[in-house]
Amino acid sequence: MTMKVDYTPRDALLVVDMQNDFCEGGALAVDGGNALVPGINAEIEAAQAAGALVVASRDWHTVDHVSFSHRGGPWPVHCVQDTHGAAFHPDLTLGDDTIRVSKATAFDADAYSAFDGTGLGGYLKEKGIERVIVCGLALDVCVKATVLAAREEGFDTLFLEPLSAAVDPDAVAECRREFTDAGAEVCS
């Protein structure tokens, strides 16, 4: 499924956390995660063909990360650096020129947005990017934080809802409202 986005060299397609641990069979699986891959691959191909940047964010946690339940955090152990669970989905077609952004890498701080502590906002501005197109996992957690942060950074922002899945499907309508309230465009 291609979303028919008109990409330009002033765009960045930001694929959020399409990692093994967030897809079916993973430690923190989101229903429907695997099914997103073909559509996201089509978007990656369309973005690359138009000269847009492709950025893929990932959780890249330390072994004993503060977000893990045994440390008092809300999540089970997931996306530990250099493990199978932290790897990008094996069918995701990330080229050598894909910008890979690792977040939540410190022991004592969590990060949900691809912009949180990564320097991504400044990098995209340096590259002349004006619009960020966001998809991936999980819609109601890291995708939500990334969409809102992209707006806070001043980027025109387009959210590709059909290429995202939520931990809690009941939260999608509220996320959509928050995105439009923040000035993001929602493609549903």
Side-chain angles (χ1 to χ4, degrees):
M1 165 197 338
T2 305
M3 299 297 306
K4 304 295 182 221
V5 175
D6 291 324
Y7 289 97
T8 76
R10 296 274 187 216
D11 292 330
L13 173 63
L14 178 42
V15 179
V16 177
D17 300 2
M18 287 300 298
Q19 294 167 269
N20 290 325
D21 269 349
F22 295 132
C23 293
E24 287 86 350
L28 195 50
V30 178
D31 285 342
N34 289 330
L36 300 175
V37 174
I40 291 174
N41 284 342
E43 288 305 307
I44 291 170
E45 187 178 325
Q48 289 172 328
L53 273 182
V54 177
V55 179
S57 71
R58 63 182 178 182
D59 271 6
W60 197 245
H61 296 313
T62 54
V63 170
D64 206 21
H65 193 258
V66 70
S67 72
F68 298 161
S69 54
H70 71 269
R71 295 255 343 254
W75 309 112
V77 174
H78 67 282
C79 297
V80 173
Q81 297 171 4
D82 297 316
T83 65
H84 172 76
F88 289 110
H89 190 287
D91 296 332
L92 196 63
T93 55
L94 300 178
D96 292 341
D97 57 347
T98 299
I99 308 298
R100 290 158 174 84
V101 175
S102 301
K103 58 188 177 64
T105 60
F107 282 101
D108 60 350
D110 207 357
Y112 294 99
S113 164
F115 293 91
D116 191 358
T118 64
L120 180 60
Y123 175 79
L124 294 178
K125 289 173 185 165
E126 214 175 87
K127 293 292 184 184
I129 299 301
E130 296 172 359
R131 181 175 67 160
V132 176
I133 297 97
V134 183
C135 61
L137 296 171
L139 190 162
D140 50 339
V141 187
C142 293
V143 169
K144 173 182 170 181
T146 299
V147 168
L148 296 175
R151 287 298 302 136
E152 288 170 16
E153 290 275 350
F155 295 105
D156 291 338
T157 307
L158 173 61
F159 166 60
L160 304 180
E161 186 175 327
L163 299 180
S164 304
V167 174
D168 176 9
D170 292 337
V172 173
E174 179 57 31
C175 290
R176 198 181 300 125
R177 272 192 295 279
E178 286 184 57
F179 296 162
T180 55
D181 287 352
E185 184 182 345
V186 175
C187 179
S188 50

